[in-house]
Amino acid sequence: MDASPPAFRFAAILAVAFLPSLAASDGAGLAGRDLKLPPADSFHPDRQPDASGARPPMPAPTWGGTLTVHTENLPRHLNLALSSSAYGRRVASQVHGWLALYDPMTLEFEPQLAQAVGVLDLITQKTGEPREAYGVVQDLVNEWELLTPSGPVRVRKSEDVIVSKGVVFTFLLREGLRWHDGHPFDAEDVRFSWSIYGNPAVRCDDRRWQHQKIRSCEVLDARTVRFVYSEQYFHAAITVGDLFLLPRHLYDPTDPDHEKADPAFHASRRAQDKNWKPGPKDIADCVNDNVHNREFVGLGPYKIASWTDEVLEVERAPTWKDDARAGHVDRIRWRRIADYGAAFRALIAGEVDLLDAVTTDDYFGSIASSDDFRAKYYTGTHRSQSYWYVGWNTRSPKLADPRVRRAFAHLTDLEGYLTSYYRGLARTMTGPFLPTSPACDPSIQPLAHDAGLAESLLSEAGWIDRDGDGIRDQGGVPLEIEVLVEAKNSATQTFAAKFREDLARGGVRLKVTSLDFSALDQRKTERNFEAVQLGWAMAPEADPEQTWHSRWAPSDKQGGNFVGLADPAVDALIAKGQAELDFDARQRIWHQLQARIMELQPYLFCYAPSRKFAMLRTIRGFQETAVDPNWDLRALYFAPGTPGTRDRLR
Amino acid sequence: MRSAVEQRFSASRGARVGLAILAILGLLAAWAPFLASDVPFVLVARDLGTLERARSELVPLAESYERAAREDQAVSRLFADVAALESRIDRLAPAASARDFTALRAALAKTRESNVDRVAVAAELVAAARLTRDALGPGRLVAPRERTFPLLTRLDGFDVLVALAPIGVALALRLRRKLRTTRAVVFAFAPILAVSAVVGVLHVEPRLSAQGSLKRAIARVDVEVESAVFAPIPFGFAETNLSESWRPPTWLSSARVDVDGRSTSASRAYVPSAGRIEANPFEPAIDALHRHVLGTDALGRDIAARVLWGGRRSLAIGAAAAVLLFAIGSVLGVAAGFLGGFVDVVVSRTIEVVLCFPAFFLVLVAVAWTDPDVVPMSLAVVLVIAAVGWTTTARLVRAEALRVAASGHVLAARALGVARVEILFRHVLPNAVGPAIVAFGFAAGGAIGVESSLAFLGLGVDVAFPSWGGLVGSARGADRSWAWIAPGIAVFLAVLAWVLVAEAARAALEPRRAIRSAP
Amino acid sequence: MIPTFLGITIVVFLAVHAAPGDPAAVLEDALSGMSSDVDLAARGARFRAEHLLDASLARQYLHFLGPFDLSPDGHAWFGGSGRRAWHGLLAFDFGDEWGRPGVPVAREIARRLRVTVPLTAAALFFAYIVAIPLGAWSALRDGTKRSSAIAALLVLLHAMPAFWLALLLILLLGPTGLDLLPVFGLASSASANASLAERAYDVVLHSILPIFVLAAGSLAWLARHVRGSVLQELDADYVRTARATGLGEREVVRRHALPNALLPVLTLLGGALPALVGGSVVVESVFGIEGLGAYAYEGLLRRDLNVILATTTLSAVLTLVGMLLSDVAYALVDPRIRVGGVSA
């Protein structure tokens, strides 16, 4: 059975209370899954290691205060079922919760609003009377043994008996959870939250494809709900745990409490038709245009206090009972400032306490190194979940040969650029997985900067300068590549200039075309490009199928595989990995996938830049995590002695 | 009357200063390729890298021929490989003895025969190529000494025209003493145009690998240099050096570094990003005071070189926009003023409508919206500035044309039955020229101002070429004032010069006024 | 005026819609990169339907003009569901910002007009107040050294690019130089809780530099026009006549020459206002002021169609207003003091 969600016997479901991961605040993670997270406050001047290498201890935590955080953008509303923006998710992490999600420190799949998660297998008999049953299925050589509450049942293996492992998820919800308006949270809310994906009038197209893999959802009792997947899927647990929960009494007109909450909705419809009963269209209207999409009612420790175009403020919600994860500060304020230069100025002016988007210029600039600044603030870096790359259109005749793509990688001096441009504040990518992810094999190196090797690869592939103009050619076609770059992004523009020089050394002409994002995206979608410079924001464990499987390669498919990679070995590894439920075994498969993709070079994998932050020195508890935004807001507290703080939660 | 106006004009101090500034800026811009370049005028060197590359390509070319023969490809493809092999042999021959190539030449001769088994011939060719490659192993190749002129061969017809234009202007001014203006100009510029045309036709794009990285090739000893003569500023405008980004002018104390390239200044104003600066051969030493007279930008490019080259774009766009604007405005203004009636009504209405448009906004939108593949950015900027700016000129010229048309001798000519067209050319145009030139001067100044504002905002910028406004825009911030002061001064001077000239022309055109005593 | 206005809206609309690239790709998450588990196609399709991007150009234009909302959720008369009946210029509704859905452009514009209009008006006022006396004085004292110096200074000011002047002033007078004036924004956050008088003083301090830079170009240009105009009037026949009748030079100047000289200067108001509106883009960008110009510029960079349409139309309206004002001013001033003399 898989190690990530804990499995236990049917009868013991109600008896087992699962405790969240006990990872120490020093972030070592569980043995065997070292995410290389630094200790808390690793950049704080008062936490620097002394001569013996030991760090001074953290000050005692306090509670209270208002924390103002910078954000580049605010979500339009908080109903993430309708539109899933990264900014929306960051706010929702404080005012709401999920059934289960990745623990930010260990990437273990942990229940959050659920008390426990049970994973069972499904055994189906197709012929005769189709029957199916849930339970833990064990493989005895000639038969399957199904463990049920009433005892083990043996079923002979045959063609019409199918066992799907790990497709049944049973959630036991925590006791006493209430929505911010006081209404209790129960399993019917969960079932309703899933049912909207089957309603075509609800505007939840972003994630519909994922939730449609779930075959059914059943409410067993007020605190228990069960999901069944139609087939084995390694991402099943996180997808179902990630379901965005909506309060039924505010969103479902068929709920008896809805009329009390929103009488006007029912009244207006009854006025038109006396015998009106709420149907799917009404449910969709209620979900799409609900006032609570903004005046959000959630399940988290904070609730919305005020929301303007520039500032979103949340305060403590009295309905949150769990003191351990209640957050230290009393109010959180997200201040939207789109321009990074203006944001830095706002930090210095005291309008923002924590800025997570300091530009390289500001970070190394004279203001940040001045004594005045250092007396009040400190700066540091943390990992980010995104990386950028140059995607090669493998369908283009010039770029179809992997030797040519490998030659381009050998021509580029990635290490040199890393030192001189990023000043070491980025990591070179060695494949499609972030260096900090367990799926990344640390032993795989980027392709060495070796112009001689590159030239011999190109010559081998038949690209030689036959006409003497300095550009390699073959069959009369010169090796000229057009790379599309986003116009306003100075980092990629700079790299493109350097890239052009590097490739010129090997007799390849690079033409840089600067487009704005919408034009670039259109050409990419139409596959009307030779090379394109873009980035990916990675989920903690992403499904590589959309990006690398040949199924998504044809040009009429819109999706992540716009480079058109179609390699049977890659397809096989992806399929194998998707079906592998054991976490460690799956990572080993991803390592093989990484090696194969590096061999094929469908992208020139560039960098995963670190994010640079600056904040008040009085803010303590900054812990880097493995999940976007890569730091934990609830762990932050003001240092003891800051006015407005106290030494107890209540 | 003309010469009297000219006398007043050339006597005025403003005109002199303005023309002097324009001359200097124009000269610097026209000769920028010779003042700042990363390749030398003259290079006496041995090119080892090319030889080595030629050697290593012998076998792949032969194998490519073999593949093509096996796949039965078109004859032209086969011969492309053969020709390439022959050119490699030609390149290698001076560096080795003739014996080394006999086998290969024989095999190549066979490929030319008809009725041969191509595949067999190809196999022979591959074997011969392998033999030759091994025979020419390390130490066997002795590169001949060559004298090349990289900078000059890089110039195309247009560059030559621009570089010789100042000489043409000076010549024309000289000749004007003896000949009429138009003839003087023609005589002065005809040879220049001829030379430029010849260069343009003969021009060959320089080899890609030799572009921009010559200094690095020298550093790698791919090219062994005996002597080289570089431009006064031995940096190209596009030559990056990321290890030296944002370095203040090297004569300032804040930019001082020691011999290894580590910062020595007490203030933390400049810290080399990688800890040390990498310099290329034939550049001033890292700790030299004159290394980067105006400092470097975000990519380590020399700002002085970029200011010099930026002038080409800014001045050219300013002048081109002014010319276009002036042409449209004058034609329409004269037509309206002189022909009157319906034409006048239409033109005046159009002027009013165009004036109603928020000019700068439309320029912004139009420039931001141009697809650089369809219309080059410079052209777009010129067109847009002309399209919104012609109205002032038109009004001025129209007013003048009206005045002249109503004047005594024109009325007399009309009464005598002289054709309108003749009156137009004989009387109206020559008199309208004066105010038109004034308008042109202001238009040119304004166009440079608008273009630099656009570039400052980041719109209408050609990625490949610097422009003064763009230099200011990419460097703004009090941290790095040295990076934007110089380009800003350049823009200021250019606009000032045009304004001075226009003012002087205007003053020269006015009849003398009685000097009044102060009230 | 109305046909001109409509013509402007059509031209702006067409120019903006001729953009290359698919506007539907400007989506909320463009800033945060592309997430690999979102169905981009479905999201794009929904966006296109909402913003009528697949409808005919004529329909899109009428939707933009208003007052009827023509989107699928729009006015019932045109096939919509009736939830949002009104939209468009004529309904003062410019739609929502594409980059920040949920924020109406009209609200944001109103907020920014409150910043730009006072700044522009103050700059115009300042420019006129300084230019008229300066130009007149320089014309009257024509021939003296001081007036030549003033004329030279005006030429220098006219030639100086606004963005460079702004950066220079920030360098000299800002925190890195003499630190005399604040250089960023229109108010410092410390003053948010202070008294009204202190807040007003703070805003005034912050506005000094931006207003100066805005006014500088217009000032020089106006002063030179005034100077030229006064010089011209002083030479006119009727002035000579007035002198001949025995009026003192001062009286002549004050009663007759100056007022007539100022007439054409008033018509320049029509040109000054659009220049200022355009110039505000640069000034607001450099000083970090959240005004209309900065809004237009950001919208342009982001390819935010709604913002661009709204700001361009608005600046066209402001231009028309400026011309109207100058025509009205001219008409008001003209009949009362016309003594004689020829106008061009």
Side-chain angles (χ1 to χ4, degrees):
Chain A
M1 293 292 288
D2 52 323
S4 66
F8 43 81
R9 291 189 175 257
F10 217 129
I13 286 175
L14 298 176
V16 174
F18 190 88
L19 298 165
S21 154
L22 292 171
S25 64
D26 276 357
L30 293 185
R33 203 180 302 175
D34 179 15
L35 298 172
K36 306 167 202 112
L37 292 169
D41 272 358
S42 55
F43 281 93
H44 199 282
D46 297 341
R47 272 276 278 179
Q48 296 309 304
D50 58 23
S52 66
R55 286 185 189 267
M58 297 280 290
T62 66
W63 281 262
T66 305
L67 182 64
T68 309
V69 178
H70 160 264
T71 176
E72 291 121 338
N73 213 341
L74 283 176
R76 169 199 210 164
H77 58 74
L78 276 181
N79 188 344
L80 297 187
L82 300 183
S83 86
S84 57
S85 85
Y87 303 105
R89 209 184 158 90
R90 288 174 194 174
V91 176
S93 304
Q94 309 308 325
V95 300
H96 199 35
W98 285 267
L99 288 173
L101 38 60
Y102 286 117
D103 181 291
M105 298 290 291
T106 64
L107 287 189
E108 296 259 337
F109 182 66
E110 305 284 349
Q112 190 192 46
L113 294 177
Q115 185 174 323
V117 183
V119 187
L120 297 175
D121 313 320
L122 176 71
I123 186 165
T124 317
Q125 180 176 307
K126 290 197 145 169
T127 54
E129 230 183 83
R131 291 189 298 153
E132 58 180 35
Y134 311 140
V136 176
V137 173
Q138 292 186 347
D139 189 351
L140 309 176
V141 182
N142 289 326
E143 13 180 57
W144 299 107
E145 179 181 71
L146 173 67
L147 298 168
T148 67
S150 39
V153 172
R154 301 254 169 114
V155 180
R156 186 127 43 128
K157 282 194 192 177
S158 74
E159 270 174 19
D160 28 79
V161 172
I162 303 186
V163 169
S164 312
K165 289 196 149 290
V167 296
V168 181
F169 292 89
T170 313
F171 289 91
L172 172 67
L173 306 178
R174 281 183 200 268
E175 237 182 295
L177 286 177
R178 290 179 176 275
W179 296 95
H180 287 155
D181 62 356
H183 197 279
F185 167 62
D186 60 24
E188 287 290 347
D189 290 321
V190 178
R191 193 200 56 78
F192 171 71
S193 306
W194 171 80
S195 70
I196 60 172
Y197 293 99
N199 183 339
V202 176
R203 294 203 214 111
C204 53
D205 313 291
D206 283 358
R207 304 264 180 196
R208 204 190 290 273
W209 67 283
Q210 278 185 332
H211 295 277
Q212 282 179 335
K213 294 191 189 208
I214 301 174
R215 196 186 74 182
S216 69
C217 172
E218 249 182 280
V219 170
L220 299 179
D221 62 41
R223 283 175 62 202
T224 319
V225 61
R226 167 180 293 153
F227 293 90
V228 180
Y229 266 84
S230 41
E231 60 182 14
Q232 242 167 276
Y233 182 42
F234 81 105
H235 239 191
I238 191 59
T239 308
V240 73
D242 204 43
L243 180 69
F244 193 73
L245 301 167
L246 295 171
R248 204 178 151 218
H249 66 284
L250 297 173
Y251 280 87
D252 184 3
T254 63
D255 184 295
D257 292 331
H258 187 264
E259 192 159 358
K260 258 183 288 170
D262 189 0
F265 185 89
H266 293 253
S268 67
R269 279 158 179 74
R270 284 225 185 83
Q272 291 173 355
D273 174 9
K274 269 195 310 190
N275 299 326
W276 170 81
K277 284 265 184 288
K281 178 87 175 34
D282 304 299
I283 297 178
D285 285 341
C286 196
V287 173
N288 288 337
D289 293 306
N290 202 306
V291 65
H292 293 287
N293 287 346
R294 278 271 299 197
E295 295 169 20
F296 191 70
V297 170
L299 292 164
Y302 293 95
K303 67 180 174 66
I304 307 257
S306 71
W307 193 338
T308 69
D309 293 341
E310 302 302 315
V311 178
L312 202 174
E313 192 161 329
V314 303
E315 61 191 0
R316 281 200 196 279
T319 52
W320 180 264
K321 298 296 180 222
D322 179 7
D323 287 0
R325 286 291 294 161
H328 289 266
V329 299
D330 285 338
R331 301 178 81 90
I332 304 173
R333 191 189 293 149
W334 281 274
R335 189 139 181 355
R336 180 224 303 265
I337 304 174
D339 174 55
Y340 297 124
F344 191 69
R345 280 187 288 260
L347 175 75
I348 299 172
E351 297 186 20
V352 159
D353 299 329
L354 191 159
L355 172 60
D356 191 26
V358 182
T359 61
T360 312
D361 278 353
D362 286 330
Y363 192 78
F364 291 105
S366 57
I367 300 180
S369 2
S370 72
D371 295 323
D372 289 339
F373 183 87
R374 298 209 155 274
K376 214 171 154 206
Y377 306 96
Y378 79 97
T379 58
T381 65
H382 66 78
R383 68 181 65 177
S384 86
Q385 292 295 112
S386 53
Y387 74 91
W388 61 271
Y389 58 91
V390 177
W392 307 112
N393 188 348
T394 60
R395 299 298 169 93
S396 150
K398 289 180 216 166
L399 294 164
D401 189 337
R403 283 176 299 190
V404 173
R405 305 193 296 263
R406 290 173 66 86
F408 291 157
H410 283 296
L411 280 173
T412 320
D413 183 12
L414 286 176
E415 282 302 312
Y417 191 75
L418 176 66
T419 333
S420 53
Y421 182 77
Y422 282 105
R423 300 178 189 233
L425 291 182
R427 311 219 9 203
T428 316
M429 291 293 289
T430 55
F433 304 113
L434 291 173
T436 48
S437 150
C440 180
D441 184 356
S443 67
I444 296 183
Q445 296 295 317
L447 295 188
H449 175 51
D450 186 343
L453 177 57
E455 292 194 20
S456 60
L457 276 172
L458 286 170
S459 301
E460 231 181 82
W463 290 98
I464 307 171
D465 181 16
R466 291 177 179 84
D467 52 11
D469 63 355
I471 307 176
R472 294 175 186 269
D473 49 69
Q474 185 168 183
V477 174
L479 193 52
E480 279 184 5
I481 312 282
E482 184 198 21
V483 65
L484 305 180
V485 170
E486 195 191 334
K488 291 185 316 296
N489 191 331
S490 63
T492 52
Q493 298 259 351
T494 314
F495 181 78
K498 187 76 178 56
F499 197 33
R500 184 174 45 209
E501 268 179 42
D502 283 343
L503 288 188
R505 167 107 187 272
V508 181
R509 169 171 275 155
L510 187 73
K511 180 179 157 218
V512 179
T513 302
S514 200
L515 297 174
D516 70 283
F517 186 74
S518 60
L520 195 151
D521 197 64
Q522 180 172 24
R523 281 190 62 173
K524 182 204 93 193
T525 314
E526 292 168 358
R527 314 297 167 97
N528 176 15
F529 70 96
E530 287 178 323
V532 64
Q533 204 171 359
L534 284 172
W536 282 120
M538 303 289 288
E541 189 180 7
D543 184 349
E545 177 189 327
Q546 277 257 336
T547 325
W548 302 114
H549 200 286
S550 61
R551 186 182 305 149
W552 296 96
S555 51
D556 55 336
K557 293 260 196 260
Q558 292 198 27
N561 192 356
F562 50 85
V563 294
L565 183 69
D567 181 65
V570 166
D571 289 350
L573 284 168
I574 291 178
K576 197 161 157 220
Q578 281 180 327
E580 176 59 66
L581 300 175
D582 174 59
F583 182 85
D584 294 316
R586 194 164 64 237
Q587 304 315 309
R588 284 194 289 276
I589 298 174
W590 295 148
H591 291 179
Q592 292 174 32
L593 179 65
Q594 176 188 357
R596 179 69 183 151
I597 289 182
M598 274 302 267
E599 232 181 273
L600 294 172
Q601 288 286 311
Y603 290 175
L604 172 67
F605 293 96
C606 296
Y607 304 104
S610 304
R611 283 191 69 109
K612 298 176 272 296
F613 65 80
M615 70 175 92
L616 287 172
R617 278 176 72 147
T618 52
I619 300 177
R620 305 304 304 262
F622 184 84
Q623 173 66 58
E624 182 177 320
T625 66
V627 174
D628 184 82
N630 294 107
W631 49 279
D632 187 4
L633 212 158
R634 270 191 237 176
L636 295 174
Y637 59 93
F638 286 100
T642 314
T645 60
R646 51 187 190 275
D647 58 2
R648 271 195 312 273
L649 174 55
R650 303 182 195 284
Chain B
M1 189 165 89
R2 240 176 60 201
S3 64
V5 169
E6 269 189 51
Q7 267 178 5
R8 277 203 297 273
F9 177 76
S10 33
S12 105
R13 193 153 30 130
R16 288 225 193 114
V17 171
L19 287 174
I21 295 179
L22 280 178
I24 294 176
L25 288 177
L27 215 62
L28 288 177
W31 290 348
F34 305 111
L35 294 170
S37 171
D38 53 349
V39 291
F41 288 102
V42 177
L43 180 68
V44 178
R46 296 173 201 276
D47 194 349
L48 307 167
T50 314
L51 283 181
E52 185 49 43
R53 192 174 289 123
R55 182 183 86 98
S56 65
E57 283 172 350
L58 289 173
V59 173
L61 277 170
E63 283 175 346
S64 162
Y65 180 87
E66 189 181 23
R67 260 199 316 272
R70 218 177 280 144
E71 292 164 12
D72 208 14
Q73 297 265 1
V75 172
S76 57
R77 270 201 73 163
L78 296 169
F79 280 141
D81 288 329
V82 166
L85 268 170
E86 283 174 352
S87 80
R88 297 298 185 280
I89 296 177
D90 289 339
R91 212 171 291 155
L92 289 166
S97 65
R99 267 182 307 130
D100 296 315
F101 299 102
T102 38
L104 197 50
R105 284 197 207 269
L108 278 171
K110 272 211 196 133
T111 64
R112 290 238 152 71
E113 294 166 16
S114 41
N115 296 333
V116 285
D117 176 9
R118 294 233 171 264
V119 179
V121 164
E124 261 189 59
L125 189 63
V126 171
R130 289 218 178 98
L131 215 69
T132 318
R133 177 198 64 192
D134 296 332
L136 293 176
R140 289 275 289 116
L141 285 170
V142 179
R145 220 177 92 213
E146 292 171 317
R147 176 188 299 256
T148 49
F149 301 93
L151 197 152
L152 295 173
T153 48
R154 216 190 237 188
L155 300 174
D156 64 7
F158 183 72
D159 290 330
V160 169
L161 178 64
V162 168
L164 292 178
I167 299 180
V169 168
L171 214 69
L173 285 174
R174 249 287 133 123
L175 290 175
R176 240 173 50 110
R177 305 224 180 121
K178 302 202 189 132
L179 307 168
R180 292 186 53 195
T181 315
T182 34
R183 284 223 192 122
V185 168
V186 167
F187 274 20
F189 274 89
I192 292 177
L193 282 170
V195 168
S196 311
V198 166
V199 170
V201 162
L202 292 179
H203 174 75
V204 168
E205 278 293 324
R207 291 173 53 85
L208 182 69
S209 49
Q211 284 179 11
S213 56
L214 182 61
K215 283 195 251 173
R216 300 227 178 91
I218 295 175
R220 283 192 313 264
V221 203
D222 270 358
V223 176
E224 205 180 270
V225 173
E226 238 183 59
S227 71
V229 176
F230 273 82
I233 300 180
F235 297 100
F237 67 88
E239 190 190 351
T240 62
N241 185 351
L242 286 172
S243 64
E244 205 177 6
S245 58
W246 288 128
R247 188 169 177 197
T250 43
W251 43 271
L252 286 178
S253 62
S254 56
R256 294 289 163 74
V257 294
D258 62 19
V259 172
D260 291 321
R262 291 174 224 276
S263 173
T264 56
S265 79
S267 74
R268 271 178 299 205
Y270 172 62
V271 178
S273 60
R276 50 184 313 274
I277 300 175
E278 291 166 25
N280 291 321
F282 289 105
E283 291 172 0
I286 296 176
D287 52 351
L289 286 180
H290 63 280
R291 181 173 161 88
H292 290 294
V293 180
L294 290 177
T296 63
D297 70 0
L299 291 177
R301 296 179 288 209
D302 182 51
I303 291 184
R306 286 174 76 74
V307 170
L308 279 177
W309 282 83
R312 286 164 84 91
R313 195 186 136 86
S314 300
L315 290 174
I317 289 186
V323 165
L324 191 59
L325 188 159
F326 173 75
I328 299 176
S330 316
V331 165
L332 288 179
V334 162
F338 186 66
L339 297 175
F342 180 65
V343 175
D344 189 9
V345 167
V346 166
V347 170
S348 298
R349 278 270 164 270
T350 317
I351 293 180
E352 276 176 31
V353 169
V354 172
L355 274 179
C356 284
F357 280 74
F360 194 61
F361 261 63
L362 278 185
V363 169
L364 276 184
V365 174
V367 165
W369 244 239
T370 345
D371 187 354
D373 285 337
V374 173
V375 174
M377 282 314 244
S378 335
L379 186 62
V381 173
V382 167
L383 288 176
V384 168
I385 294 179
V388 298
W390 61 268
T391 49
T392 327
T393 313
R395 269 200 176 161
L396 242 158
V397 173
R398 173 180 168 273
E400 191 60 30
L402 277 176
R403 193 184 62 82
V404 171
S407 71
H409 58 276
V410 168
L411 286 174
R414 294 270 305 265
L416 286 174
V418 181
R420 287 175 97 180
V421 175
E422 207 184 318
I423 297 181
L424 183 72
F425 277 99
R426 272 272 193 85
H427 300 285
V428 178
L429 272 185
N431 286 324
V433 156
I437 290 185
V438 173
F440 179 83
F442 282 117
I448 294 182
V450 170
E451 189 272 333
S452 59
S453 296
L454 281 178
F456 173 77
L457 291 173
L459 301 167
V461 183
D462 216 338
V463 189
F465 285 97
S467 121
W468 285 334
L471 288 176
V472 177
S474 55
R476 57 170 151 162
D479 262 17
R480 304 193 178 103
S481 48
W482 37 266
W484 52 260
I485 286 185
I489 292 181
V491 175
F492 170 58
L493 286 177
V495 176
L496 180 67
W498 279 115
V499 167
L500 284 175
V501 166
E503 276 289 332
R506 194 218 302 247
L509 283 172
E510 279 167 15
R512 299 192 61 174
R513 287 189 314 276
I515 300 176
R516 282 178 300 285
S517 55
Chain C
M1 200 125 300
I2 297 210
T4 322
F5 174 70
L6 277 181
I8 292 179
T9 59
I10 291 181
V11 169
V12 165
F13 176 81
L14 286 176
V16 158
H17 272 267
D22 180 7
V26 177
L27 299 172
E28 205 177 300
D29 256 358
L31 283 174
S32 60
M34 302 195 302
S35 172
S36 39
D37 27 317
V38 169
D39 191 353
L40 295 171
R43 180 190 273 184
R46 196 181 74 226
F47 188 85
R48 297 190 75 84
E50 241 177 71
H51 288 92
L52 281 155
L53 292 170
D54 293 324
S56 71
L57 218 55
R59 194 181 172 96
Q60 290 190 48
Y61 173 70
L62 288 174
H63 177 67
F64 160 66
L65 192 60
F68 298 110
D69 186 316
L70 298 177
S71 71
D73 282 330
H75 205 275
W77 291 353
F78 298 97
S81 68
R83 270 181 334 125
R84 277 201 313 256
W86 309 107
H87 184 269
L89 282 187
L90 299 180
F92 295 115
D93 176 8
F94 297 106
D96 286 353
E97 283 189 31
W98 284 14
R100 291 191 294 175
V103 178
V105 172
R107 185 163 80 207
E108 187 63 23
I109 284 192
R111 189 171 81 91
R112 289 175 181 250
L113 273 180
R114 281 201 290 274
V115 169
T116 300
V117 168
L119 269 184
T120 317
L124 204 60
F125 181 70
F126 175 70
Y128 265 92
I129 286 266
V130 172
I132 293 181
L134 203 60
W137 185 86
S138 151
L140 292 173
R141 295 264 192 279
D142 182 38
T144 64
K145 268 199 205 154
R146 269 195 277 179
S147 105
S148 317
I150 296 278
L153 199 66
L154 286 176
V155 167
L156 285 178
L157 205 57
H158 178 96
M160 195 163 298
F163 59 87
W164 195 58
L165 179 63
L167 288 176
L168 265 183
L169 288 175
I170 292 180
L171 183 66
L172 291 173
L173 301 176
T176 48
L178 297 171
D179 205 0
L180 286 176
L181 288 171
V183 297
F184 186 73
L186 277 183
S188 50
S189 60
S191 72
N193 301 325
S195 68
L196 185 63
E198 282 183 17
R199 275 212 307 274
Y201 178 63
D202 187 48
V203 168
V204 164
L205 273 189
H206 275 87
S207 325
I208 291 181
L209 282 181
I211 291 181
F212 178 72
V213 174
L214 260 180
S218 311
L219 198 158
W221 173 72
L222 274 174
R224 290 194 10 254
H225 269 280
V226 168
R227 183 187 133 93
S229 183
V230 170
L231 283 176
Q232 203 176 351
E233 287 301 310
L234 285 177
D235 258 352
D237 291 338
Y238 76 93
V239 169
R240 251 179 262 159
T241 318
R243 279 200 200 112
T245 62
L247 277 175
E249 186 68 22
R250 241 196 213 139
E251 278 296 302
V252 169
V253 163
R254 198 158 55 90
R255 276 254 205 96
H256 303 293
L258 265 187
N260 279 341
L262 292 181
L263 281 182
V265 170
L266 275 176
T267 64
L268 296 176
L269 185 63
L273 195 53
L276 283 178
V277 168
S280 69
V281 176
V282 169
V283 168
E284 288 172 12
S285 166
V286 173
F287 286 103
I289 295 173
E290 289 188 346
L292 194 64
Y295 194 44
Y297 175 52
E298 285 162 26
L300 213 54
L301 287 184
R302 282 197 316 250
R303 295 287 191 270
D304 193 324
L305 234 59
N306 281 351
V307 172
I308 297 171
L309 281 174
T311 48
T312 318
T313 316
L314 201 62
S315 66
V317 165
L318 283 175
T319 311
L320 285 180
V321 163
M323 304 192 71
L324 197 65
L325 277 179
S326 73
D327 283 345
V328 163
Y330 197 93
L332 275 178
V333 167
D334 199 347
R336 281 198 290 127
I337 59 169
R338 249 185 116 77
V339 170
V342 199
S343 49

